Amino acid sequence: MQNCGYAQMYTNTNMRLKLPITCFILEIILIILFGVLVEYDKETDARKWHHSNHSEYDNDFYYRYPSFQDVHVMIFIGFGFLMTFLQRYGFSSVGFNFLIAALALQWATLMQGFFHGMHGGKIHVGVESMINADFCTGSVLISFGAVLGKTSPVQLLVMAVFEVTLFAVNEFILLSLLGTKDAGGSMTIHTFGAYFGLMVARVLYRPNLHKSKHKNSSVYHSDMFAMIGTLYLWMFWPSFNSAITAHGDDQHRTALNTYYSLAACTLSTYAMSALTAHDGKLDMVHIQNAALAGGVAAGTAGEMMLTPFGSMIVGFLAGIISVLGYKYLSPILESKLKIQDTCGVHNLHGMPGVMGAIVGAVTASLATKEIYGDGLIQIIFCLGFIMKLPIYGAPSDASCFEDSIYWEVSSKKLLETSKLCICPQPKKHCNYTIGYVNVHLICSRQFQPLDVDLEPHHCVLLACGKAAFPNEVSI
Amino acid sequence: MQNCGYAQMYTNTNMRLKLPITCFILEIILIILFGVLVEYDKETDARKWHHSNHSEYDNDFYYRYPSFQDVHVMIFIGFGFLMTFLQRYGFSSVGFNFLIAALALQWATLMQGFFHGMHGGKIHVGVESMINADFCTGSVLISFGAVLGKTSPVQLLVMAVFEVTLFAVNEFILLSLLGTKDAGGSMTIHTFGAYFGLMVARVLYRPNLHKSKHKNSSVYHSDMFAMIGTLYLWMFWPSFNSAITAHGDDQHRTALNTYYSLAACTLSTYAMSALTAHDGKLDMVHIQNAALAGGVAAGTAGEMMLTPFGSMIVGFLAGIISVLGYKYLSPILESKLKIQDTCGVHNLHGMPGVMGAIVGAVTASLATKEIYGDGLIQIIFCLGFIMKLPIYGAPSDASCFEDSIYWEVSSKKLLETSKLCICPQPKKHCNYTIGYVNVHLICSRQFQPLDVDLEPHHCVLLACGKAAFPNEVSI
Amino acid sequence: MQNCGYAQMYTNTNMRLKLPITCFILEIILIILFGVLVEYDKETDARKWHHSNHSEYDNDFYYRYPSFQDVHVMIFIGFGFLMTFLQRYGFSSVGFNFLIAALALQWATLMQGFFHGMHGGKIHVGVESMINADFCTGSVLISFGAVLGKTSPVQLLVMAVFEVTLFAVNEFILLSLLGTKDAGGSMTIHTFGAYFGLMVARVLYRPNLHKSKHKNSSVYHSDMFAMIGTLYLWMFWPSFNSAITAHGDDQHRTALNTYYSLAACTLSTYAMSALTAHDGKLDMVHIQNAALAGGVAAGTAGEMMLTPFGSMIVGFLAGIISVLGYKYLSPILESKLKIQDTCGVHNLHGMPGVMGAIVGAVTASLATKEIYGDGLIQIIFCLGFIMKLPIYGAPSDASCFEDSIYWEVSSKKLLETSKLCICPQPKKHCNYTIGYVNVHLICSRQFQPLDVDLEPHHCVLLACGKAAFPNEVSI
């Protein structure tokens, strides 16, 4: 009952050198490459801008920056808090989201700049590159959702570097070579991010993940925090899909279509959530995720003349498919295909993304297999094996979904996890680890065994007794 | 002490069929009506927009969309989280807010489109219709605040459909027939939403609501979540009031006036909150709500040349009135008029809305009675009785303000509710329902009664003892 | 062990008259001065605006208001929630932040209007004055961070009035007399706010603050709330630094530079946080604060042609310096200089602000000492002594960092604080104050002393026993 072996399991998860070395090397490489390759675009550079003759108000900043800020909120608050639903992985969810997003947006600026066409050997940056970099970052965060709780921050940084690179290649093939239109990124962002993450999750499959199963769930307040993420994603999805479309009616229409798609999706999500529960109770997992599927599905076709009518049908169906995925497909993915998809990104980004691509009447997606061959898949599997090298400090099976491996966690958060502990001897000092709390007791008299059967994780109890008068410490 | 009768009370609240049927029918009707009636307006439609000759940057999207996004945040985050103050109604507050808002904005697009004038039999949609639909939704959410915790989601959907329809009629009468100016909606949104909600609350009066009184209060963290809602409403109220005013100085001035009204209101709210407490301690209810009254009161006159000076006086008085309302009027409303106004919408939206209308020197509000006669009131009372039909799965008196009726709630949220439970027999298995937690115990020896008197709701205690050595399980 | 003396210590903290009187007097003065001195600027006034010939879309509202809203979110949500990290000072953090910000922005409008140049004896207000007032408010909130938990709301209001005045003088000297450029306020906002707050903290030094040391720390959920503040500050910092720069490429470039500075800062912050922890675990204090230093440091030079390369170097170094400050400098500040800097504003705003000023190649900051002489410091020390007068209801040493002095706090938040309490006598009623919870017990039989040694703050235990069968109340 005492966690004597914990120290051992944790030894390799010490990030004292691994994380700083990785961060410093990556950031220094980035700074050098930015120094060599990056310069302001013509709307951002003082000389270039003032060289031509226009009003200051014509600067694209005024027509793109509000959209950028909305997207930025989706990346850092939306994705970050959506993943805080886990009961004791909140620091990691929002904190690692923060870290890998900060890396990915820098790396994406370089990779996308490289593929989008350089100007005299230079990558030009401005508000449009900022939005594109945030988009690419979104894709990495979707993949993060699939492996949430099972990786170290160093693994995530490695994944981000690879994924951003492949994202830029994929985007280049789809948008530049095939001429696909995909402003909201149903394909380039959501489908790519989801299947990338799922493949990584497949390679990192943990047969003994049930050891930390009790932590792979939510508590009341963690679900409330996750709703902050959900709502920001939901509210700003019209900005996301329209951020990079052509100015004027295009941008206006995309926002409008997405707005209706999401509204219809929300109603079908609530309906399906109640319908698929045996007692008709709504499931927070569905509300937090499936209600967003309408935004994903409207990503490709959102800028077209889809009409509000068409958008609502798309959203309506996306909500239904997504809830069904969470309910029936996710368990199959885990048991049959050995894909442990923590956040269910297949249901939120995968299927609705494919649906969005089909709605966009994009045959490109069908041609994908021919173009890529198996090259992309092989690269991802390579990445998976790189990520499996025992050098990153990944958590043990029993310590997945657990903040305290990588974060200083206040001992005050003591009540949500529990263990039944008993004093082995009277008059002895003894230490217990309950969740991640160390409790130190001195038993005063004779020990009396407990004889209480608890539902798993319900209660915590420390008993430390004298013969006639026991003292209890509740946590 | 065991909750033997709970299952019975809950039987009719099963949403497995009621909610999906309602959602599906409503959404399918909406989709069909949108297909028949709705088309893009000239700023959103590719052909119409490119037909005329203008810069892409002239599209109203660039001058309205940032305001729309702020209003959108107020609707989903602002109203949603403001109502999460209840200790265990957070899922419902933010979740039902989400559901009925998603419905209302679609229905409002149709109703407002119909009354605002159709174009060749078609309703035109674009960013302006989106803002108007969100405004109407806001009115429904205000009414939701009055009945919060006492209705099923199906009842709320029915209420939303009726209220949106009446809102559109009322708006048409005030703005089109009477020519009133009410950009920030002191009358059309706040006064209407508040009194609509209060009348519904009157009809749904529950004489035995005291049975769930202990749940009709906040806990520390729920108050923190509610502050998120408050602050977003407060910060974006200048955008709300100015979202639909004429472009140029009008919009600029409205935002400015609202900003000063809110600032002054905040100071008077803090002052009154301390002054009306016997120990001078600030009350979160006042801060969360009354500090917003300045925005409501500046709704009508905000676009006029009210001056910052005038705005501050309006806000200052609104804060005072609102706190006094919470302190002295709400108890009277409940005891004398039998109106159980959960969120105190009368104090936040009702009185300040009326004040705003008066400030706007709008005699229209005085003419209201004559124009409407008692028609509106009768319709609302009809709605109330429709909502009282025993088919919607409304919660019992004892299960009001309780998420677990309609939501899957993790058993981990165990500490904030409590009950004193004792093992009836030694050596027996026994199950307790504490709050919504099931605890399973095996008593090992002889039971010993507890003799502890607790302040209501303070503590939770499970005792399960042996003769000489009891074991306690704290939850 | 019984908190018999608590009532006495609290007597002077009763805000029933102090707070209302202060608020009412200040607000009434403000309203009068606004009535006499303030008028709409030419973009906000109906007559002035329509007098000249321009499109409604040329109104500066459309080019500044989105930036204003982002800054507004930083002030109320960003600063407000960043300070909620304290375990039971959440109401005060976000609530006093709200109060003093609402005051400061009104007072700042007057002070800045006075120094920025009046127009025919009138102060002109519009979206630009709103942004400037929010900036000045930001400075006050930085100082609030230094004294967080140790002051009464009345003291804070007094501090705000003084600081806003001095801020306007300082800004006038730096920007108007010395001609410094400091759009993002590295000097005027951050350095000024930080050192102002530190000097006030010095004067208010409490040698016995260790009495409330156990409350001067975070719990799990309070850290999650604080991350909301952090992320909003981080995301909108590009808007903050660019809000008031010249239109066109300047504004565009400033946002871009800040964005890269923050991204690089985030990576170096994570690296340093892991590196400086003996077990490699990340520290929430660093992530919440130091990751923002890149925004502070890019405040002055952000609008210049710093290049993304330069911005990233600045941010990278700012993160390193800031984490080192939290780790090594803050303890020295307290022990040697007697500055108890609750939020570590020296590390987040002080040093990075100075660094930003140096990066901006601003010699002005070096000339500061000569210009100001010791005048400024003397004024601040005067303010400190004014704030020390025993009339404001400041908390006792033992009741610092504690919401329940100034707020009605629900007794439900009972689990995160603890005390070991025992019934003094059998068959007696006894009341305990555990944290801010009053528990009422009746002991049924003879009291038995507890003999349990707990790690500080880990557990809470109430024992109230019969001879052979004690009853435990866990909180």
Side-chain angles (χ1 to χ4, degrees):
Chain A
M1 239 176 247
Q2 286 197 47
N3 299 318
C4 309
Y6 255 73
Q8 270 177 306
M9 286 192 289
Y10 279 37
T11 42
N12 57 341
T13 63
N14 190 314
M15 289 288 123
R16 180 141 192 210
L17 293 176
K18 292 178 185 111
L19 186 61
I21 289 172
T22 313
C23 285
F24 280 138
I25 290 178
L26 286 173
E27 188 61 44
I28 288 167
I29 291 173
L30 280 166
I31 290 176
I32 293 170
L33 289 175
F34 265 72
V36 176
L37 290 171
V38 172
E39 62 180 30
Y40 294 127
D41 70 9
K42 68 178 195 300
E43 315 240 350
T44 321
D45 188 284
R47 260 164 306 134
K48 291 182 209 157
W49 176 254
H50 291 290
H51 193 261
S52 51
N53 186 24
H54 36 218
S55 160
E56 296 291 2
Y57 298 127
D58 291 343
N59 197 295
D60 208 29
F61 179 79
Y62 301 105
Y63 302 94
R64 293 269 183 231
Y65 189 73
S67 304
F68 163 70
Q69 275 298 13
D70 290 354
V71 172
H72 218 41
V73 171
M74 291 174 75
I75 296 297
F76 288 89
I77 288 282
F79 282 105
F81 275 88
L82 182 62
M83 294 188 276
T84 60
F85 73 96
L86 289 172
Q87 56 182 277
R88 36 175 169 158
Y89 206 65
F91 289 5
S92 302
S93 293
V94 77
F96 295 162
N97 186 85
F98 189 17
L99 173 64
I100 61 178
L103 171 75
L105 64 85
Q106 297 178 76
W107 187 240
T109 306
L110 293 176
M111 287 297 109
Q112 293 180 315
F114 183 73
F115 281 107
H116 286 187
M118 294 171 73
H119 306 258
K122 294 287 184 184
I123 290 163
H124 282 187
V125 294
V127 69
E128 211 168 312
S129 79
M130 287 159 78
I131 295 173
N132 276 318
D134 268 28
F135 274 10
C136 176
T137 300
S139 198
V140 176
L141 300 178
I142 291 167
S143 304
F144 176 35
V147 298
L148 187 73
K150 298 169 292 188
T151 49
S152 79
V154 177
Q155 277 177 304
L156 293 171
L157 291 170
V158 170
M159 186 183 85
V161 169
F162 274 83
E163 182 165 359
V164 165
T165 312
L166 288 174
F167 177 96
V169 174
N170 182 53
E171 192 185 40
F172 175 72
I173 294 173
L174 279 177
L175 305 190
S176 301
L177 297 191
L178 297 179
T180 315
K181 294 201 78 170
D182 188 24
S186 287
M187 286 171 285
T188 51
I189 301 167
H190 299 289
T191 311
F192 178 81
Y195 288 103
F196 189 101
L198 292 171
M199 282 189 272
V200 172
R202 174 65 192 82
V203 181
L204 300 183
Y205 178 68
R206 290 166 177 265
N208 296 316
L209 192 61
H210 58 84
K211 284 187 186 173
S212 52
K213 198 185 167 190
H214 60 287
K215 294 178 208 159
N216 188 4
S217 62
S218 66
V219 289
Y220 196 79
H221 280 113
S222 69
D223 270 328
M224 291 298 296
F225 280 114
M227 277 305 286
I228 297 175
T230 296
L231 288 174
Y232 272 102
L233 288 170
W234 197 93
M235 295 182 302
F236 289 168
W237 216 294
S239 303
F240 188 91
N241 283 351
S242 69
I244 217 70
T245 57
H247 283 304
D249 62 297
D250 268 38
Q251 208 166 357
H252 199 153
R253 190 168 55 243
T254 312
L256 188 73
N257 287 339
T258 309
Y259 169 86
Y260 286 119
S261 178
L262 286 162
C265 180
T266 303
L267 268 91
S268 64
T269 296
Y270 274 81
M272 291 304 294
S273 184
L275 192 62
T276 58
H278 73 284
D279 53 1
K281 289 187 185 176
L282 296 163
D283 188 331
M284 264 290 171
V285 173
H286 304 153
I287 308 308
Q288 283 160 6
N289 293 280
L292 299 168
V296 175
T300 303
E303 70 182 311
M304 304 171 190
M305 288 289 289
L306 184 61
T307 76
F309 171 64
S311 308
M312 286 160 77
I313 293 176
V314 169
F316 187 71
L317 296 177
I320 292 174
I321 289 172
S322 188
V323 173
L324 291 175
Y326 275 99
K327 191 78 188 177
Y328 303 110
L329 197 54
S330 285
I332 295 173
L333 278 187
E334 172 149 8
S335 60
K336 305 287 181 204
L337 299 184
K338 300 191 173 178
I339 296 174
Q340 293 154 330
D341 177 6
T342 312
C343 293
V345 301
H346 185 251
N347 312 306
L348 169 50
H349 301 279
M351 292 190 298
V354 171
M355 183 186 157
I358 295 169
V359 169
V362 177
T363 52
S365 63
L366 305 171
T368 305
K369 173 77 176 152
E370 274 174 58
I371 292 160
Y372 295 117
D374 293 324
L376 183 64
I377 292 168
Q378 279 168 16
I379 293 170
I380 296 177
F381 272 84
C382 279
L383 165 63
F385 287 108
I386 292 171
M387 286 175 67
K388 278 186 104 166
L389 296 175
I391 57 174
Y392 305 109
S396 68
D397 286 339
S399 59
C400 284
F401 313 114
E402 173 61 66
D403 270 341
S404 64
I405 324 171
Y406 301 120
W407 298 83
E408 290 291 343
V409 176
S410 158
S411 58
K412 290 290 171 42
K413 191 204 165 288
L414 17 92
L415 287 143
E416 288 173 350
T417 50
S418 52
K419 203 162 278 185
L420 203 56
C421 296
I422 43 176
C423 264
Q425 274 187 280
K427 298 283 188 192
K428 289 265 163 117
H429 289 250
C430 45
N431 282 294
Y432 293 100
T433 306
I434 303 188
Y436 31 78
V437 181
N438 273 299
V439 179
H440 175 80
L441 296 174
I442 313 167
C443 291
S444 46
R445 298 237 192 113
Q446 187 193 329
F447 164 68
Q448 294 276 353
L450 289 167
D451 196 352
V452 175
D453 227 52
L454 298 172
E455 288 288 306
H457 328 310
H458 271 183
C459 298
V460 60
L461 173 63
L462 279 185
C464 172
K466 311 184 209 174
F469 184 75
N471 301 322
E472 290 73 20
V473 180
S474 70
I475 297 218
Chain B
M1 242 178 244
Q2 288 196 47
N3 300 317
C4 308
Y6 256 75
Q8 271 178 307
M9 287 191 288
Y10 280 36
T11 43
N12 58 342
T13 64
N14 189 315
M15 289 289 124
R16 179 140 192 211
L17 292 176
K18 292 179 185 111
L19 186 61
I21 289 171
T22 314
C23 285
F24 280 138
I25 290 176
L26 286 173
E27 188 60 44
I28 289 166
I29 291 173
L30 280 167
I31 290 176
I32 294 169
L33 289 175
F34 265 72
V36 176
L37 290 172
V38 172
E39 61 180 29
Y40 294 126
D41 70 9
K42 69 177 193 302
E43 315 240 351
T44 320
D45 188 286
R47 260 163 306 133
K48 291 182 208 155
W49 175 253
H50 290 290
H51 193 261
S52 51
N53 187 23
H54 36 218
S55 160
E56 296 292 0
Y57 298 127
D58 291 342
N59 197 295
D60 208 28
F61 179 79
Y62 301 105
Y63 302 94
R64 293 270 183 229
Y65 189 72
S67 304
F68 162 70
Q69 274 299 10
D70 290 353
V71 172
H72 218 40
V73 171
M74 292 174 74
I75 296 297
F76 288 89
I77 287 282
F79 281 105
F81 275 88
L82 182 62
M83 294 188 277
T84 60
F85 71 98
L86 288 170
Q87 56 181 276
R88 36 177 171 157
Y89 206 64
F91 290 4
S92 302
S93 294
V94 78
F96 295 161
N97 186 83
F98 189 17
L99 173 64
I100 61 179
L103 172 75
L105 63 86
Q106 297 177 76
W107 188 240
T109 305
L110 294 175
M111 287 297 109
Q112 292 180 315
F114 183 74
F115 282 106
H116 287 187
M118 293 170 74
H119 307 259
K122 294 288 183 182
I123 289 163
H124 281 187
V125 293
V127 69
E128 210 167 312
S129 81
M130 287 158 79
I131 295 173
N132 276 317
D134 268 26
F135 275 8
C136 176
T137 300
S139 197
V140 176
L141 300 179
I142 291 166
S143 304
F144 176 35
V147 299
L148 187 74
K150 298 169 290 188
T151 49
S152 79
V154 177
Q155 276 177 306
L156 293 171
L157 290 170
V158 170
M159 185 183 87
V161 170
F162 275 83
E163 181 165 0
V164 165
T165 312
L166 287 174
F167 177 95
V169 174
N170 181 51
E171 191 186 40
F172 175 73
I173 294 172
L174 279 177
L175 306 191
S176 303
L177 297 191
L178 296 179
T180 314
K181 292 201 80 171
D182 189 22
S186 288
M187 286 171 285
T188 52
I189 301 168
H190 299 288
T191 311
F192 177 82
Y195 288 101
F196 188 101
L198 292 170
M199 282 189 272
V200 172
R202 173 66 192 82
V203 182
L204 300 182
Y205 178 68
R206 289 165 177 266
N208 296 316
L209 193 60
H210 58 84
K211 284 187 186 174
S212 51
K213 199 187 166 190
H214 60 288
K215 294 178 208 160
N216 188 5
S217 63
S218 67
V219 289
Y220 196 79
H221 280 114
S222 70
D223 270 327
M224 290 298 297
F225 280 114
M227 277 305 286
I228 297 176
T230 297
L231 288 174
Y232 273 101
L233 289 170
W234 197 92
M235 295 183 301
F236 289 167
W237 217 295
S239 304
F240 188 92
N241 283 352
S242 69
I244 217 72
T245 56
H247 283 304
D249 62 298
D250 268 39
Q251 208 165 358
H252 199 153
R253 189 168 56 244
T254 312
L256 187 73
N257 287 339
T258 309
Y259 169 87
Y260 286 119
S261 178
L262 286 162
C265 180
T266 303
L267 267 91
S268 65
T269 296
Y270 274 80
M272 291 304 293
S273 184
L275 192 62
T276 57
H278 73 284
D279 54 1
K281 290 187 186 178
L282 296 163
D283 189 331
M284 264 290 171
V285 172
H286 304 154
I287 308 306
Q288 282 160 7
N289 293 281
L292 299 168
V296 176
T300 303
E303 70 182 309
M304 303 170 190
M305 288 290 287
L306 185 60
T307 77
F309 171 65
S311 308
M312 286 160 76
I313 293 174
V314 169
F316 187 72
L317 297 176
I320 292 174
I321 289 172
S322 188
V323 173
L324 291 175
Y326 275 100
K327 190 78 188 179
Y328 303 108
L329 197 55
S330 285
I332 295 173
L333 278 187
E334 173 149 7
S335 61
K336 304 288 178 206
L337 301 184
K338 301 192 174 179
I339 296 174
Q340 293 154 329
D341 177 6
T342 313
C343 294
V345 301
H346 185 251
N347 312 306
L348 169 51
H349 301 279
M351 291 190 297
V354 171
M355 183 185 158
I358 295 168
V359 169
V362 177
T363 52
S365 63
L366 304 171
T368 305
K369 174 77 176 153
E370 275 174 57
I371 292 160
Y372 297 116
D374 294 324
L376 183 64
I377 291 168
Q378 280 167 16
I379 293 171
I380 296 177
F381 272 85
C382 280
L383 164 64
F385 287 109
I386 291 171
M387 285 176 67
K388 278 187 105 167
L389 296 175
I391 57 173
Y392 304 109
S396 68
D397 286 340
S399 58
C400 284
F401 313 113
E402 172 60 67
D403 270 339
S404 63
I405 324 170
Y406 301 120
W407 297 84
E408 290 291 345
V409 176
S410 159
S411 58
K412 291 289 172 44
K413 193 204 163 285
L414 18 93
L415 287 144
E416 288 173 349
T417 49
S418 52
K419 201 160 279 185
L420 203 57
C421 296
I422 44 177
C423 263
Q425 274 187 280
K427 297 282 187 194
K428 288 266 164 115
H429 288 250
C430 46
N431 282 293
Y432 293 99
T433 306
I434 302 188
Y436 29 78
V437 180
N438 271 298
V439 180
H440 176 79
L441 296 174
I442 313 169
C443 291
S444 46
R445 298 235 192 113
Q446 187 194 329
F447 164 67
Q448 294 276 353
L450 289 167
D451 196 353
V452 175
D453 229 53
L454 299 173
E455 289 288 305
H457 328 310
H458 270 184
C459 297
V460 59
L461 173 63
L462 280 184
C464 172
K466 311 185 210 173
F469 183 74
N471 302 321
E472 290 73 17
V473 181
S474 71
I475 298 215
Chain C
M1 241 178 245
Q2 284 197 54
N3 300 316
C4 307
Y6 256 74
Q8 271 176 305
M9 287 191 287
Y10 280 37
T11 43
N12 57 342
T13 64
N14 190 315
M15 289 289 123
R16 180 142 191 209
L17 293 177
K18 292 177 185 111
L19 186 61
I21 290 171
T22 314
C23 285
F24 280 138
I25 291 178
L26 286 173
E27 188 60 44
I28 289 166
I29 292 173
L30 279 167
I31 290 176
I32 294 169
L33 289 175
F34 264 72
V36 176
L37 290 171
V38 172
E39 62 181 30
Y40 294 126
D41 70 8
K42 69 178 194 302
E43 316 241 349
T44 320
D45 188 283
R47 260 163 307 134
K48 290 183 211 158
W49 175 254
H50 291 291
H51 194 262
S52 52
N53 187 24
H54 36 219
S55 160
E56 296 291 2
Y57 298 128
D58 291 343
N59 197 295
D60 209 27
F61 179 78
Y62 301 105
Y63 303 94
R64 294 267 183 232
Y65 188 73
S67 304
F68 162 70
Q69 275 298 12
D70 291 352
V71 173
H72 217 40
V73 171
M74 291 173 75
I75 295 298
F76 289 89
I77 287 281
F79 282 105
F81 275 88
L82 182 62
M83 295 189 276
T84 60
F85 72 97
L86 288 171
Q87 57 182 275
R88 36 177 171 157
Y89 206 65
F91 289 5
S92 303
S93 294
V94 78
F96 294 161
N97 185 84
F98 189 17
L99 173 64
I100 60 178
L103 171 74
L105 63 86
Q106 296 177 77
W107 188 240
T109 305
L110 293 176
M111 287 297 110
Q112 293 180 315
F114 183 74
F115 281 107
H116 287 188
M118 294 171 74
H119 307 258
K122 295 286 184 184
I123 290 163
H124 282 187
V125 293
V127 69
E128 212 168 310
S129 80
M130 287 159 78
I131 296 173
N132 276 318
D134 268 27
F135 274 8
C136 176
T137 299
S139 197
V140 176
L141 299 178
I142 291 167
S143 304
F144 176 34
V147 298
L148 188 73
K150 298 168 292 189
T151 49
S152 81
V154 178
Q155 277 177 305
L156 292 171
L157 290 169
V158 170
M159 185 183 85
V161 170
F162 275 83
E163 181 166 359
V164 164
T165 313
L166 286 174
F167 176 95
V169 173
N170 181 52
E171 192 186 39
F172 175 72
I173 294 174
L174 278 178
L175 305 191
S176 302
L177 297 192
L178 296 179
T180 314
K181 294 201 78 169
D182 188 23
S186 288
M187 287 170 286
T188 51
I189 302 167
H190 299 288
T191 311
F192 178 81
Y195 288 102
F196 188 101
L198 292 170
M199 282 189 273
V200 172
R202 174 65 191 83
V203 181
L204 299 182
Y205 178 69
R206 290 165 177 266
N208 297 317
L209 192 60
H210 58 84
K211 283 186 187 173
S212 51
K213 198 187 167 189
H214 61 288
K215 294 178 207 159
N216 187 5
S217 62
S218 66
V219 289
Y220 196 79
H221 281 113
S222 70
D223 270 327
M224 291 298 296
F225 280 114
M227 277 305 286
I228 297 175
T230 296
L231 287 174
Y232 272 101
L233 289 170
W234 197 93
M235 294 183 301
F236 289 167
W237 217 293
S239 303
F240 188 91
N241 283 351
S242 69
I244 218 70
T245 56
H247 282 305
D249 61 298
D250 268 38
Q251 208 164 358
H252 199 154
R253 192 168 53 244
T254 312
L256 187 74
N257 288 339
T258 309
Y259 169 86
Y260 286 119
S261 178
L262 285 162
C265 180
T266 303
L267 267 90
S268 64
T269 296
Y270 274 80
M272 290 305 293
S273 185
L275 192 64
T276 57
H278 74 283
D279 54 1
K281 289 186 185 177
L282 296 162
D283 189 331
M284 264 290 173
V285 173
H286 303 154
I287 307 307
Q288 283 160 6
N289 293 281
L292 300 168
V296 176
T300 303
E303 70 182 308
M304 302 171 191
M305 288 289 288
L306 184 60
T307 76
F309 171 65
S311 307
M312 286 159 77
I313 293 175
V314 169
F316 187 71
L317 296 176
I320 293 174
I321 289 171
S322 189
V323 173
L324 291 175
Y326 275 99
K327 190 78 189 178
Y328 303 108
L329 197 55
S330 285
I332 295 173
L333 279 185
E334 173 149 8
S335 61
K336 304 289 179 204
L337 300 183
K338 300 191 175 179
I339 297 173
Q340 293 154 329
D341 177 6
T342 313
C343 293
V345 302
H346 185 251
N347 312 306
L348 169 51
H349 301 278
M351 293 191 296
V354 170
M355 185 185 155
I358 294 169
V359 169
V362 177
T363 53
S365 63
L366 305 172
T368 306
K369 174 75 176 153
E370 275 174 57
I371 292 160
Y372 295 116
D374 293 324
L376 183 64
I377 291 169
Q378 280 168 16
I379 293 171
I380 296 177
F381 271 85
C382 281
L383 165 62
F385 287 108
I386 291 171
M387 285 175 68
K388 279 187 105 166
L389 296 174
I391 58 173
Y392 304 110
S396 69
D397 286 339
S399 59
C400 284
F401 313 113
E402 172 61 67
D403 270 340
S404 63
I405 324 170
Y406 302 119
W407 297 84
E408 290 291 345
V409 176
S410 159
S411 58
K412 290 289 171 45
K413 193 204 163 286
L414 18 92
L415 288 144
E416 288 172 350
T417 50
S418 54
K419 202 162 279 185
L420 202 57
C421 296
I422 45 176
C423 263
Q425 274 187 279
K427 297 283 186 194
K428 290 267 162 116
H429 289 249
C430 45
N431 281 294
Y432 293 100
T433 306
I434 302 189
Y436 31 79
V437 181
N438 273 298
V439 180
H440 175 80
L441 296 174
I442 313 169
C443 290
S444 46
R445 299 237 191 111
Q446 186 194 329
F447 163 67
Q448 295 276 353
L450 289 167
D451 196 352
V452 175
D453 228 54
L454 298 172
E455 288 288 305
H457 329 310
H458 272 181
C459 298
V460 59
L461 173 63
L462 279 184
C464 171
K466 312 185 209 173
F469 184 75
N471 302 322
E472 290 72 20
V473 181
S474 70
I475 296 215

